[in-house]
Amino acid sequence: MPLQIIRRTSTPLSLTNGIDPLLARIYSARGISHPSEINRQLKGLQSYKSLKDIEKAASLLTDAVYGQQRILIVGDFDCDGATSSALGVLAMREMGAIVDYLVPNRFEYGYGLTPEIVQVARQYQPDVLVTVDNGISSIEGVAAAKSLGWKVIVTDHHLAGEQIPQADAIVNPNQPDCPFIGKNTAGVGIIFYVMCALRTELRRRGWFAGKTELNPFQLLDLVALGTIADVVSLDANNRILAYQGLARIRAGHCRPGIQALIEISGRQQSRLTSSDLGFALGPRLNAAGRLDDMSTGIELLLTERIETARELAAELDGLNRDRKEIEAGMQVEAMSHLSSLKLDQHSDLPWGVSLFREGWHQGVVGILASRVKEKLHRPVIAFAEADNDEIKGSARSIKGLHMRDALDSVARENPGLIIKFGGHAMAAGLSIYKKDFETFAAAFDRIVKQELSAEQLEAEIHTDGELGVSELTMDTAQLLRDSGPWGQNFPEPSFDGRFQIIQQRLVGQKHLKMVLKLPSSEYYVDAIAFNIDPGQWPNQNITTVKAVYKLDINEFRGQQSLQLIVDHLESA
């Protein structure tokens, strides 16, 4: 598909002296205009007090702690849900609560607090039920739990629908009339704030007299992992949470489960980055919920024994390899189908792409939708079979289309077509009847064509401009690494430039290893492009290229050297 290289624009900053000019330009291009916006210290965190219902939730949980009532956490089967569940269990147990967790198996019960999960929860005999990373759309589930006499506290971050559940307390910055400005906080960040409020209320009532108080900041490793892996926008507040959690992990102050994930991923703990959390640790944890049962991932995060953690991490690593194989097969099928739509002819491809094949795996359609979206640069929904003649879809969007709102439009214009849906601007989930797939696909495409322009379907890659010889250094790479965390809507710096290819060869059958040279200089640098098309590269006929790249520090046999990670490569 066509791809445009667009350089980010920046304006002069009113930052204090001492900030590197390159870094100042990069911050400015991300909307930073004042030193306070790059503060990464804990004192810069938003107070939890403006979260609607949080003090009510803390009071209910304090009553439960004093009364030694049973608390049950109902989580979600992704990384955010797993870290949220583990954080809630660890924090409340540390504060003297009787607490357990239950996470729905996506293949048996689907997402969220459903009436069916409430029936499963009865075996735990809870007095208080707490949802983490779900619940804002669980109207029937909350009602079922309330009918059993339980107190229900919903903690979530997903967008609220027209109706919200009748829970005893709802802590969600995206519910109506919540003034908390951290609307992008992940589910794990919300339960972290609730635990901070619970500690404050327990302290106020004298619970900690003669006891050691929980320091909630010791759980920021879980907050960082869940926040980065859930790909929420890294606004100022989330950057503080992620930075502080990463700092704890690098210093060795993290859960044994996180340490084991780092080891099995082949990463270096003292130099861990946000991309390591998002692309190495997160997928392995997510693999449990995609292919098996997320309880394995939660137990990994709960265990205090490194030996147990390593065993569980190895199990998750195996599941992640299985997930990759399943995904690869599904992607081949999806792209084979789409090839019949003549991808090279822009007008023949739907603007909103819906995909479904018999036998596709429910746990992997989300990743499939992401991969196809990246190739086509248009909104994609991939479906897999479920029970009761239903199919479940996982949706991924592009800039300019709010996916949940688009599904809402489809539902309003086609009553009864969508059984249920929910999600965010960039990702969502839904269920429809299998017989309605073609009808839905047409309706979704129609809505997308109403919302987007043809220009928005042109793939773009944004860069921070060119680097000169004096900036292509290890010091610059280290500066950028230290200036994160980088992530969603606060992207890691990337650059573009023209280079001569001095050497090029395949490594690992699908990665292009190169030696590049800046024209009109004697500057040489190593580079690697991952997952390239082996049918196009290496290409000895191409000697000059335009590359979009990131700076990286490569370590080999104890030696460090600068390396370019090439995201896009084309003949110049």
Side-chain angles (χ1 to χ4, degrees):
M1 302 299 292
L3 186 145
Q4 301 179 62
I5 298 175
I6 299 176
R7 291 181 176 175
R8 300 182 179 99
T9 58
S10 60
T11 55
L13 293 182
S14 58
L15 297 177
T16 55
N17 293 333
I19 293 184
D20 181 272
L22 173 63
L23 189 58
R25 172 162 62 87
I26 289 168
Y27 280 150
S28 174
R30 285 150 185 76
I32 300 298
S33 59
H34 191 271
S36 63
E37 298 175 73
I38 56 174
N39 171 37
R40 298 179 297 184
Q41 302 307 308
L42 285 172
K43 63 182 180 181
L45 272 180
Q46 292 295 317
S47 169
Y48 65 77
K49 293 183 179 180
S50 62
L51 272 163
K52 183 179 179 180
D53 274 6
I54 193 167
E55 293 183 347
K56 186 187 297 184
S59 181
L60 289 168
L61 289 173
T62 298
D63 291 343
V65 173
Y66 265 92
Q68 289 297 278
Q69 298 173 351
R70 294 179 182 273
I71 302 170
L72 180 66
I73 290 175
V74 177
D76 186 20
F77 38 66
D78 66 359
C79 190
D80 190 14
T83 52
S84 299
S85 298
L87 188 147
V89 168
L90 290 165
M92 285 194 276
R93 284 180 181 170
E94 182 75 15
M95 290 187 280
I98 301 172
V99 59
D100 210 332
Y101 74 90
L102 169 64
V103 59
N105 183 301
R106 78 193 306 154
F107 310 109
E108 295 181 38
Y109 301 105
Y111 168 79
L113 182 68
T114 61
E116 293 79 10
I117 278 297
V118 170
Q119 292 304 311
V120 176
R122 294 181 70 173
Q123 65 184 293
Y124 294 86
Q125 299 180 322
D127 301 293
V128 181
L129 189 150
V130 181
T131 71
V132 293
D133 193 31
N134 75 94
I136 195 63
S137 61
S138 301
I139 311 299
E140 296 176 352
V142 169
K146 292 289 294 176
S147 72
L148 296 172
W150 305 343
K151 298 289 186 183
V152 179
I153 300 169
V154 168
T155 75
D156 200 355
H157 69 123
H158 294 92
L159 298 174
E162 293 183 3
Q163 184 180 1
I164 62 173
Q166 297 299 304
D168 294 279
I170 299 177
V171 186
N172 180 343
N174 291 304
Q175 68 175 309
D177 303 321
C178 180
F180 186 69
I181 66 173
K183 303 298 184 185
N184 299 307
T185 308
V188 68
I190 300 302
I191 192 63
F192 167 77
Y193 273 123
V194 172
M195 293 300 99
C196 291
L198 172 58
R199 183 188 68 161
T200 299
E201 180 63 12
L202 284 169
R203 179 194 293 160
R204 188 186 70 81
R205 296 197 203 177
W207 175 257
F208 294 116
K211 303 174 186 175
T212 301
E213 281 194 22
L214 166 78
N215 176 8
F217 296 135
Q218 70 189 26
L219 298 172
L220 284 174
D221 56 339
L222 294 171
V223 179
L225 176 55
T227 296
I228 296 294
D230 209 47
V231 202
V232 294
S233 180
L234 279 194
D235 58 20
N237 208 54
N238 280 339
R239 289 201 299 276
I240 295 174
L241 292 170
Y243 174 79
Q244 291 293 332
L246 268 169
R248 290 191 61 83
I249 296 171
R250 289 172 183 150
H253 304 310
C254 66
R255 301 296 305 164
I258 291 180
Q259 180 184 335
L261 285 174
I262 294 169
E263 292 174 358
I264 201 75
S265 302
R267 298 308 196 265
Q268 187 174 343
Q269 186 166 345
S270 63
R271 305 182 74 245
L272 204 72
T273 66
S274 54
S275 62
D276 292 325
L277 295 183
F279 297 109
L281 276 64
R284 286 171 169 82
L285 195 56
N286 271 329
R290 293 191 186 281
L291 300 188
D292 191 22
D293 188 329
M294 186 45 97
S295 297
T296 305
I298 297 173
E299 287 300 316
L300 168 76
L301 298 176
L302 289 177
T303 186
E304 302 290 345
R305 299 183 66 252
I306 187 61
E307 295 82 4
T308 303
R310 285 170 176 151
E311 292 172 2
L312 292 171
E315 183 178 337
L316 294 181
D317 189 59
L319 286 173
N320 194 49
R321 288 196 299 271
D322 292 343
R323 186 270 302 169
K324 288 181 178 179
E325 292 180 9
I326 294 169
E327 178 205 335
M330 289 166 57
Q331 191 170 336
V332 168
E333 290 182 12
M335 299 311 295
S336 175
H337 165 66
L338 288 170
S339 67
S340 66
L341 300 176
K342 301 177 182 177
L343 298 186
D344 58 332
Q345 297 182 28
H346 200 73
S347 60
D348 289 336
L349 189 65
W351 287 31
V353 178
S354 298
L355 300 168
F356 168 62
R357 280 290 178 274
E358 302 279 351
W360 278 3
H361 198 291
Q362 240 186 78
V364 184
V365 286
I367 299 177
L368 176 66
S370 293
R371 297 287 190 264
V372 176
K373 181 206 75 171
E374 290 167 5
K375 288 180 179 294
L376 306 183
H377 194 70
R378 56 194 61 207
V380 175
I381 305 179
F383 289 88
E385 285 186 288
D387 297 327
N388 304 316
D389 296 318
E390 295 179 16
I391 55 177
K392 291 185 177 180
S394 192
R396 298 294 184 269
S397 194
I398 63 173
K399 183 179 178 181
L401 182 84
H402 192 295
M403 182 58 79
R404 189 197 174 280
D405 288 354
L407 294 177
D408 189 46
S409 296
V410 172
R412 287 199 311 270
E413 293 186 10
N414 304 269
L417 181 60
I418 300 179
I419 299 170
K420 59 183 176 181
F421 70 94
H424 299 294
M426 302 305 290
L430 71 155
S431 295
I432 63 174
Y433 289 109
K434 181 160 57 172
K435 65 179 178 61
D436 292 331
F437 172 73
E438 297 295 341
T439 303
F440 172 83
F444 177 61
D445 184 39
R446 189 164 56 249
I447 291 297
V448 173
K449 285 176 177 173
Q450 292 174 11
E451 297 293 328
L452 293 178
S453 65
E455 291 75 20
Q456 290 172 295
L457 299 180
E458 299 294 329
E460 300 173 349
I461 186 166
H462 293 259
T463 82
D464 293 289
E466 289 187 86
L467 292 180
V469 172
S470 63
E471 295 171 313
L472 279 166
T473 65
M474 291 264 290
D475 286 344
T476 302
Q478 190 64 52
L479 171 71
L480 298 181
R481 175 177 285 191
D482 293 342
S483 301
W486 311 100
Q488 184 71 8
N489 292 330
F490 199 75
E492 182 177 357
S494 64
F495 309 94
D496 66 87
R498 293 178 182 271
F499 297 90
Q500 294 174 358
I501 297 186
I502 305 303
Q503 296 177 15
Q504 52 178 309
R505 61 185 174 88
L506 276 183
V507 294
Q509 298 183 330
K510 58 181 180 179
H511 312 310
L512 184 67
K513 187 78 172 173
M514 297 169 285
V515 174
L516 301 179
K517 175 181 177 294
L518 274 179
S520 304
S521 79
E522 293 303 314
Y523 184 87
Y524 298 83
V525 63
D526 291 332
I528 188 167
F530 293 107
N531 300 310
I532 54 89
D533 183 351
Q536 295 184 3
W537 299 95
N539 189 331
Q540 304 303 329
N541 294 321
I542 297 178
T543 58
T544 304
V545 294
K546 188 166 188 177
V548 176
Y549 61 91
K550 299 181 179 73
L551 296 184
D552 185 49
I553 299 175
N554 185 42
E555 294 195 25
F556 183 69
R557 295 179 179 174
Q559 299 295 315
Q560 294 186 343
S561 61
L562 181 68
Q563 178 176 248
L564 309 187
I565 305 296
V566 177
D567 297 323
H568 175 71
L569 193 65
E570 63 183 44
S571 177

